[in-house]
Amino acid sequence: MRVRVEQTALPGIGVRHDLLTESGRRLGVVSHRNGRRDLVLYDPDDPDSCQHDIPLTDDEAEALADILGASLMLGQLSGLRDQAAGLLTEQIAIPAGSKYVGRRLGDTKARTRTSASIVAVLRHGEVIASPDPTFRFAAGDVVVVVGTRAGLDGVTAILADSDPDG
């Protein structure tokens, strides 16, 4: 079985690599532009929800890479740029009338519903990188989304929804 690694550029932040294990668990590594790395384990019932986020020092990341056989992975990761050719990044403003104003990111289930990822939120000139599922939206927030055209359009429709029951 070939392991599929998804690479997502996180504008202004760095890069996230996710993989789905044979047992169905999703885990990832966020490599920040400042050199920081986080190992993340997603909730098995909601892939939008991060169950555990473990910051790693350079020494810890290197030791973990050695344990996992990083040299074998380098060859596989080198081909990811070609595979990511269909991915787009878009900034989507949350309208004041959205039913998600004041609600949690996890309530949108955006990644589950669209396969697109909300990788950052821009609020009053501040970048909120990798918002977790408990992050609450405010009117005027701008979300940075990565995905296919269909996925980005789906997230736009979700966030524009003003029907509190829909």
Side-chain angles (χ1 to χ4, degrees):
M1 176 181 150
R2 184 174 170 129
V3 176
R4 186 173 132 206
V5 177
E6 298 172 2
Q7 176 180 320
T8 305
L10 306 174
I13 300 160
V15 178
R16 186 180 75 215
H17 292 93
D18 290 341
L19 68 91
L20 185 65
T21 67
E22 189 172 326
S23 66
R25 296 300 306 265
R26 181 178 290 276
L27 60 99
V29 175
V30 176
S31 301
H32 298 261
R33 287 179 19 184
N34 65 6
R36 186 179 118 207
R37 288 173 204 82
D38 295 307
L39 181 63
V40 293
L41 180 64
Y42 298 97
D43 184 329
D45 297 323
D46 181 3
D48 288 335
S49 176
C50 178
Q51 209 171 40
H52 299 285
D53 180 344
I54 304 164
L56 299 173
T57 66
D58 287 346
D59 289 340
E60 292 164 339
E62 185 175 302
L64 183 59
D66 287 343
I67 292 168
L68 296 175
S71 62
L72 298 174
M73 293 296 285
L74 289 177
Q76 293 175 348
L77 293 176
S78 66
L80 284 178
R81 285 198 175 116
D82 296 333
Q83 295 174 15
L87 289 180
L88 303 169
T89 302
E90 194 163 277
Q91 294 183 9
I92 303 167
I94 298 184
S98 171
K99 73 178 185 179
Y100 291 105
V101 170
R103 290 182 58 194
R104 299 176 321 132
L105 167 62
D107 293 340
T108 69
K109 296 194 185 320
R111 184 171 176 176
T112 302
R113 293 166 63 186
T114 68
S115 296
S117 296
I118 296 173
V119 298
V121 177
L122 311 174
R123 179 182 286 168
H124 306 300
E126 178 186 349
V127 176
I128 300 155
S130 301
D132 68 35
T134 62
F135 175 84
R136 291 193 180 272
F137 291 117
D141 281 352
V142 175
V143 297
V144 179
V145 184
V146 176
T148 63
R149 170 51 43 209
L152 299 178
D153 291 346
V155 172
T156 299
I158 289 168
L159 296 176
D161 187 356
S162 60
D163 179 4
D165 298 322

